[in-house]
Amino acid sequence: QRLNLFRLDAAWWTKDLGAYESEVQNQSLNTATTNECDLKVARKMKSSTAVTIVAPSDIVGEADDRQQIQKKTQNIQLSPGQHKYVIIKATHPGLGKAEWFIKTASPRECGGPFHADVARDLVKELNEAGYDTIVMGGGRIDYDSSKKHAHVYGFSFGFGKGDHEFVSVLIESHGMLSASFDDSVDLY
């Protein structure tokens, strides 16, 4: 009896199947919720202090330093599309006044699918500039750059739910964007 073996390297549907698998992978990165490692990172990052301690004699130059960090770090950093966000309260020990920072990023932009990944670089940058930081919460922001509108909703397992109304007010106060929010508990 004769047995023929065949191998199919590609077919007409191979391209579509590859595109589907890529889309599923991107969806899973964007919709990942949390894991134990993420929760540990979020607990450590939730409240962090400045890397350097400012002496009272250094406060004279603090206004210049503050202006430099504001030029370098935008208070509102939104990536177009539907992404996770964090809201960070930053206080400089020499100034005492709190500043607010909001950041969204895709998993590819921030290096991972969790809220802690979104917060990591911004917290590090603010701490290195002398700020104490507290990640106050998170959720999702659906930012439509063509309509200049941001919709705030959802929650973060690691940091808790952000104050969506406050976040939408901050977004509107920093530019030419309109913002809305939804505090429904069933929205992720």
Side-chain angles (χ1 to χ4, degrees):
Q1 191 168 0
R2 189 171 165 189
L3 182 62
N4 290 327
L5 297 175
F6 296 94
R7 187 174 136 201
L8 181 63
D9 289 325
W12 63 269
W13 63 82
T14 303
K15 181 177 150 191
D16 294 328
L17 184 59
Y20 172 77
E21 287 174 348
S22 176
E23 181 65 26
V24 167
Q25 182 180 11
N26 287 340
Q27 290 269 338
S28 67
L29 278 178
N30 210 19
T31 59
T33 53
T34 195
N35 62 24
E36 191 57 37
C37 180
D38 172 56
L39 291 174
K40 286 179 185 176
V41 169
R43 279 191 293 273
K44 284 183 181 178
M45 192 184 301
K46 195 161 190 172
S47 180
S48 56
T49 56
V51 174
T52 57
I53 296 175
V54 178
S57 60
D58 294 337
I59 294 177
V60 176
E62 291 302 322
D64 294 335
D65 292 344
R66 185 170 171 239
Q67 288 175 349
Q68 289 299 328
I69 189 67
Q70 284 181 329
K71 288 178 186 174
K72 186 178 175 186
T73 306
Q74 297 176 357
N75 289 68
I76 310 294
Q77 301 175 30
L78 302 180
S79 293
Q82 178 186 347
H83 302 295
K84 293 181 177 183
Y85 88 87
V86 291
I87 178 167
I88 298 171
K89 180 180 178 181
T91 308
H92 199 289
L95 301 173
K97 180 184 172 201
E99 296 195 44
W100 294 93
F101 294 84
I102 299 166
K103 182 178 180 179
T104 68
S106 72
R108 289 194 176 142
E109 290 172 316
C110 65
F114 303 116
H115 286 90
D117 298 315
V118 176
R120 181 179 298 112
D121 291 341
L122 182 55
V123 166
K124 180 181 176 191
E125 184 177 337
L126 291 169
N127 289 158
E128 288 174 353
Y131 286 82
D132 295 334
T133 57
I134 301 172
V135 182
M136 301 299 290
R140 291 182 181 259
I141 294 180
D142 188 358
Y143 172 45
D144 186 337
S145 57
S146 64
K147 293 181 181 177
K148 297 188 182 294
H149 180 78
H151 183 67
V152 185
Y153 64 100
F155 62 93
S156 164
F157 281 107
F159 297 119
K161 182 177 162 207
D163 183 343
H164 302 330
E165 182 176 10
F166 181 62
V167 169
S168 64
V169 168
L170 282 175
I171 290 170
E172 285 186 337
S173 71
H174 275 83
M176 310 269 290
L177 297 177
S178 65
S180 59
F181 69 96
D182 190 338
D183 273 331
S184 299
V185 294
D186 58 343
L187 288 176
Y188 182 72

